[in-house]
Amino acid sequence: MIYKGLTERIIACAIEVHRELGPGLLESIYESALAVELFQQGIRFARQKPLPVTYKGQSVGDFRIDLLVEDLIVVELKSVERNDPLFEAQLLSYMKLGGYNVGLLVDFNSMLLAKGIKRLVL
């Protein structure tokens, strides 16, 4: 139940950012704006959180999670012309590697942001 309410709050923040800025900007701009909105709404988050990757017990590198909200929900941001199934696979990989159950894929390059949001659950 906590995930549903929290994802709804995150989505509301993303919609507010999209309402103010519109589509067509760089992903980094949306990430910064969403961070401002989450902060103003009192939602805890980490930006560009390192996610170490190990293979057979050896460290092989790090990924960076765009936003990790309340240490529970992975938020992957995009601003792309075409949605690619690879983006969902990327988010699922982050979720599996980090042990997170819920993720949001948010593509700000949509005329209607609600069509650019996908909620994924492991």
Side-chain angles (χ1 to χ4, degrees):
M1 210 52 181
I2 186 171
Y3 292 110
K4 185 177 186 294
L6 186 54
T7 56
E8 288 174 356
R9 290 179 66 200
I10 296 165
I11 290 168
C13 289
I15 289 171
E16 179 62 20
V17 167
H18 191 265
R19 185 178 292 128
E20 287 290 318
L21 298 178
L25 302 176
L26 295 173
E27 180 184 313
S28 60
I29 299 296
Y30 293 116
E31 181 181 322
S32 295
L34 186 53
V36 169
E37 191 64 31
L38 291 168
F39 178 79
Q40 289 181 347
Q41 297 302 316
I43 301 171
R44 280 187 318 111
F45 64 92
R47 287 179 68 180
Q48 296 298 315
K49 177 147 175 72
L51 180 62
V53 180
T54 58
Y55 176 75
K56 295 187 176 183
Q58 299 293 315
S59 176
V60 293
D62 291 315
F63 280 116
R64 297 232 174 243
I65 296 174
D66 289 341
L67 295 165
L68 181 62
V69 178
E70 298 286 350
D71 291 321
L72 294 171
I73 299 175
V74 177
V75 180
E76 179 64 22
L77 304 177
K78 299 293 178 193
S79 182
V80 293
E81 202 168 304
R82 263 187 305 231
N83 199 345
D84 189 319
L86 183 62
F87 300 147
E88 287 182 40
Q90 177 187 20
L91 176 56
L92 287 170
S93 291
Y94 291 171
M95 292 164 60
K96 287 176 190 174
L97 288 169
Y100 304 108
N101 296 319
V102 178
L104 289 173
L105 179 60
V106 181
D107 181 7
F108 280 97
N109 202 26
S110 303
M111 290 308 290
L112 182 61
L113 187 63
K115 294 186 180 211
I117 297 175
K118 290 193 179 184
R119 184 176 185 266
L120 303 178
V121 178
L122 287 181

